[in-house]
């Protein structure tokens, strides 16, 4: 991983809710020494600490719907301007809509940087539900998980094509152990480095 670790990666990890994005992001970012930026986690932190943002998004996140694009653009713009994101980052859970792809393009252009790679974790629906139920987060009841998967199919899946057309998208089979998926991700980075 030496040449892989020395690069300043700017990565996206995409996949349906429960596909294991957060799980893989954590391990990979530790090795690459870049921050894992999860918009879902940022929203949950804001909710837990009762900030103005947290209060505003609470009912939306709990219903399984998406927070509005303007709010998410502001959240992400601020986070990507932090010092620790200057030398690379892995974004997990953003973008989720076509408007968010455009917002991310604007933010990266303003920062003068570009994405290296978009990694898609592919996991079948019954497994997504099984995993999310096992995780037991507050927005992980079966009804809400199904809603989040529907939202993903309707709003997020179509944006994969944008990254495919840009030649940035690589798919990884996420229906394997955490370690096996992790080693496929490392292989993908090795090939791209
Ligand atoms: P997120 O926090 O992004 O939630 P997620 O997609 O459910 O999780 P992830 O794919 O990371 O799965 P995980 O690793 O935990 O979003 C939550 C909510 O925030 C959204 O519904 C929305 O309301 C809001 N939001 C976030 N971003 C937004 C945006 N950009 N715009 C608008 N709204 C936004 O894995 C799941 C489980 O599987 C875990 O228990 C894990 O241990 C297990 N697991 C992982 N890999 C496994 C493997 N290989 N084998 C077996 N189990 C595995």
């Amino acid at each position: 991983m030496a040449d892989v670790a020395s690069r300043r990666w700017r990565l996206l990890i995409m996949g349906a809710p429960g596909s294991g994005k957060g799980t893989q992001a954590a391990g990979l970012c530790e090795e690459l020494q870049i921050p894992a930026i999860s918009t879902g986690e940022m929203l949950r932190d804001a909710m837990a600490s009762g900030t103005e943002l947290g209060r505003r998004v609470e009912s939306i996140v709990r219903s399984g719907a998406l927070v509005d694009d303007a709010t998410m653009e502001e959240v992400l713009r601020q986070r990507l301007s932090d010092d620790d994101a200057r030398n690379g980052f892995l974004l997990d859970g953003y973008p989720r809509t076509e408007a968010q792809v455009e917002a991310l393009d604007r933010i990266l252009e303003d920062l003068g940087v570009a994405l290296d790679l978009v990694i898609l974790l592919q996991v079948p629906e019954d497994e997504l539900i099984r995993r999310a139920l096992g995780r037991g987060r507050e927005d992980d009841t079966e009804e809400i998980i199904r809603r989040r998967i529907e939202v993903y199919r309707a709003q997020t899946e179509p944006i994969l094509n944008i990254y495919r057309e840009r030649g940035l998208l690589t798919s990884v089979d996420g229906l394997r152990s955490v370690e096996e998926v992790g080693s496929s991700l490392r292989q993908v980075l090795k090939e791209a480095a």
Side-chain angles (χ1 to χ4, degrees), residues 28-41:
L28 207 55
C29 287
E30 202 183 315
E31 262 174 59
L32 299 176
Q33 299 274 300
I34 53 174
I37 300 179
S38 157
T39 45
E41 212 171 287

Side-chain angles (χ1 to χ4, degrees), residues 17 20-23 39 44 65 67 93 96 100 135 148 176:
K21 302 184 295 287
T23 305
T39 45
R44 282 188 292 281
V67 173
R96 270 174 148 95
Q100 292 185 10
R135 181 173 60 180
R148 286 164 55 212
R176 293 171 297 156

Side-chain angles (χ1 to χ4, degrees), residues 116-184:
D116 297 301
L117 209 59
V118 178
I119 300 165
L120 170 67
L121 289 184
Q122 285 188 305
V123 175
E125 190 157 327
D126 52 349
E127 175 69 4
L128 295 174
I129 294 170
R130 199 187 67 75
R131 285 184 189 177
L133 284 177
R135 181 173 60 180
R137 227 165 52 194
E138 222 173 296
D139 58 343
D140 280 341
T141 66
E142 184 159 349
E143 191 192 337
I144 299 173
I145 298 161
R146 286 194 189 278
R147 170 95 205 275
R148 286 164 55 212
I149 294 172
E150 260 171 47
V151 170
Y152 174 80
R153 301 270 181 248
Q155 301 199 53
T156 308
E157 226 166 40
I159 71 177
L160 295 174
N161 255 335
I162 300 177
Y163 290 119
R164 193 172 287 122
E165 280 164 14
R166 292 183 190 178
L168 289 173
L169 190 77
T170 302
S171 298
V172 167
D173 175 11
L175 187 61
R176 293 171 297 156
S177 71
V178 172
E179 295 70 29
E180 285 169 320
V181 177
S183 65
S184 286

